[in-house]
Amino acid sequence: MSIPTRESIITQFRSTYGSPPSVVARAPGRVEFIGNHTDYNGGAVLGAAIDRYVWVAAATNPSGRLRLFSAGGQSVLELPADPGTRITGSDSWANYPLGVWRSLKDFGLRQPAGFDLFVESNLPAGAGLSSSAALELATALALLHLVDQADLPADRLAALGRHAENKYVGVPCGILDQGTSAFGRAGHLVHIDCRGPSFSRVPFPANAHLWIFNTREKHALIDGLYATRNKECLDAAKALGVAFLADLTPAQLPPLDKKLPPAQAKRAKHIIEEHARVHDTAEALQRGDLAMVGRLLTASHRSSQHLFENSTPALDQLVDLLEKHPAVLGARLTGGGFGGAVMALTKDSFTEKDAAGIARAYSAKHGREPEMIHLQAADGAKIET
Ligand code: GLA
C-alpha cells in the first residue's frame, strides 16, 4: 500500500462526498515501550509514538447528519446526530468517532452539528499498536478544527480521547495510548506519570532500533479480558488499603499479599515491580546503558507471561527467539496483551535478514509468518497543513 498523503486523502474525501474537506488531521499509533498495565494503576509508563498513522479528513455537514467512511469500506455510514446506543457488528468502529463527538460536549467544548468524515490508516488494526487511540485523536483534532478549537492543549486532547474510549466504546483503558499519541516526538520516548497525569520526553537511544513482530492473533480489548485484569487490580488495591497498586514498593508487598486471592496477588506483584522497572528503564536510558534497558524489557515480558498472565504461546515464542539473538537487546509484548505484537529493541547490527530469520523460525511452529515492521519514534497528533 502506498503511504497516504494529505493530497491523496483530500482526493478520496472529494470522491466520497463530492466536495473537499476543511481539514485533514493525522495521529500516530504507539508502542508501549515498558509499563504493562501500569497506567490505570497510578504507575508510570514509557511509550513511543510511531511512524504509522490514522488520517481523518472532515467537513461540516449542514444537514446535521453524521456521515462516516473508512477507506476500503463498502459504503458511507449515515447516522442520526445521536444514535443513542452503542453500534454493534461490522460498523462498530463508528463508536470511536461518535464517542469523540459526544465527548466534546462532556468536556464543555463546541460540537459541529453535523459532519462528514473520511478515515484512512496504515496502522495494523488489532496488533496492540493503538489504532483506536490514533482514530480518537485524529477525529478529535479534525472536529475541533471545524469549530475553531484546534488549539486544545495536548493533555486535554489525550484526556478527551481516553474519555471517549472509557465512556462510549466501553474499554476501561488508562492514558498510555492517547497520551503517547498526543505527546509523541520524533526520536523520543514519552514518559507518563499516570497519576497526574504528567508527560515528559526522553531521547530514544541513537544506536538502537524498534521492531514489531505482529502475531496477527486476535487482540480485542473490548472482549473483556482487559476489563477483567483492570478489575482484579482495582480490587487488589482496595484490599491492600491503597488508592492505587503503584502506591506500594516491591519491598512493601510480601506480607500484604497474603490478604489477596492468589490471582490478585500475582497481578499486584506484576504492577508494583513493573512500575519500578519503568523507573529503572528511564534511568538506564539516561546513562546510555542499553544492555540494562534490554534486560528490563525482557523481564517485563516474563512478568506479563507468568504474573499478569496476559501473554500467549505465540508472543512467548517470539520473545524466546528474539532473546537468543545476539543483536537483540530485549523483547516484550506491547500493549494490552492476549494477542497482538512483540516489540524488540535491537542493536544497529540487526538487519531485515535477521528479522526474516526470526519470522521463519516462528512460522515453522505456528504455520504463518508474523508481520514485521521496523519503526521510528515519530511526532504526535497534528493537523496536516
Ligand atoms: C492498552 C490500554 C492502555 C494500557 C495498555 C496496557 O493499550 O489501552 O491504557 O493499559 O493496554 O499497558
Side-chain angles (χ1 to χ4, degrees), residues 30 32 35-40 173-177 221 226 335-336:
R30 63 99 190 90
E32 173 194 280
N36 196 231
H37 289 250
T38 46
D39 60 354
Y40 57 83
C173 66
I175 194 69
L176 161 68
D177 306 347
L221 300 185
Y226 183 88

Side-chain angles (χ1 to χ4, degrees), residues 85-165:
T85 53
R86 211 169 273 161
I87 298 162
T88 53
S90 59
D91 292 335
S92 61
W93 69 272
N95 289 311
Y96 294 95
L98 207 57
V100 167
W101 179 76
R102 293 169 132 192
S103 299
L104 292 174
K105 191 166 174 202
D106 297 348
F107 273 52
L109 296 159
R110 288 189 293 278
Q111 282 175 312
F115 58 83
D116 294 342
L117 215 71
F118 175 88
V119 179
E120 174 142 35
S121 170
N122 68 351
L123 193 54
L129 299 178
S130 244
S131 50
S132 317
L135 175 56
E136 287 153 7
L137 265 61
T139 303
L141 276 182
L143 297 185
L144 285 163
H145 180 90
L146 296 183
V147 287
D148 290 332
Q149 296 175 126
D151 56 350
L152 192 72
D155 57 343
R156 296 295 292 153
L157 183 68
L160 182 92
R162 180 186 176 192
H163 177 85
E165 179 125 8

Side-chain angles (χ1 to χ4, degrees), residues 231-249:
K231 185 169 183 319
E232 286 170 335
C233 291
L234 302 187
D235 287 351
K238 206 165 165 197
L240 298 177
V242 289
F244 290 108
L245 285 175
D247 287 338
L248 295 168
T249 63

Side-chain angles (χ1 to χ4, degrees), residues 347-383:
K347 299 180 187 167
D348 277 335
S349 52
F350 189 82
T351 61
E352 297 275 346
K353 221 170 134 198
D354 294 313
I358 301 280
R360 257 197 318 279
Y362 170 85
S363 59
K365 184 154 178 201
H366 284 273
R368 58 179 165 172
E369 290 252 331
E371 178 184 16
M372 295 171 295
I373 319 175
H374 183 187
L375 293 169
Q376 307 295 327
D379 282 340
K382 60 171 189 166
I383 305 271

